[in-house]
Amino acid sequence: MPEKKKILIVEDDQFLHKILVMKVKAEGLQVISAYDGESALKKVKEIPDLILLDLILPQMSGFEFLGEIKMDSQLKNIPVIVLSNLGQDEDIERAKSLGAQDYLIKANFSIDDVIKKAKEWLVRKK
């Protein structure tokens, strides 16, 4: 039986975090959870297949987290989907220049859209 794909969810909003975890698990995927950038940096060592990343986080921002993992040869190729309320062009450009593959503005996407996008990236990664 193939190993379940793992998604690291980095989101400090408790409610949204819980819903994302539920939806991802319902898709038959494994979840690694982090509520802040520092714990995400520890948990990313489990080498997830995809990272869903908020940018406004306690301890270490999503931008800083992205910068850190993209400098690590073992982690730099993990696809990252940013899920943020920051919708300014410069925020989107900054995240993409730091290595984010995709950028979803929370207000513009439903949870189901986010899960669908995550699954598309998992398929591409094969």
Side-chain angles (χ1 to χ4, degrees), residues 5-92:
K5 297 275 188 190
K6 277 189 282 205
I7 296 183
L8 171 58
I9 297 173
V10 189
E11 170 61 65
D12 64 327
D13 179 295
Q14 302 274 338
F15 179 73
L16 182 56
H17 192 109
K18 199 170 7 181
I19 291 173
L20 283 169
V21 168
M22 257 176 21
K23 290 277 190 178
V24 168
K25 285 183 174 176
E27 293 293 332
L29 303 163
Q30 277 187 299
V31 174
I32 308 166
S33 272
Y35 289 92
D36 63 74
E38 279 184 8
S39 62
L41 210 49
K42 292 181 183 108
K43 294 184 177 195
V44 77
K45 304 284 189 234
E46 295 179 43
I47 317 288
D49 296 288
L50 179 75
I51 300 169
L52 282 177
L53 178 67
D54 188 9
L55 293 174
I56 308 295
L57 296 165
Q59 276 94 46
M60 172 192 277
S61 77
F63 290 119
E64 292 169 301
F65 172 81
L66 260 175
E68 290 286 323
I69 67 165
K70 293 305 176 180
M71 287 189 296
D72 185 314
S73 61
Q74 278 191 298
L75 308 173
K76 69 179 183 192
N77 294 322
I78 300 169
V80 177
I81 299 175
V82 168
L83 185 58
S84 181
N85 282 321
L86 296 177
Q88 301 296 319
D89 287 345
E90 57 266 24
D91 295 319
I92 296 169

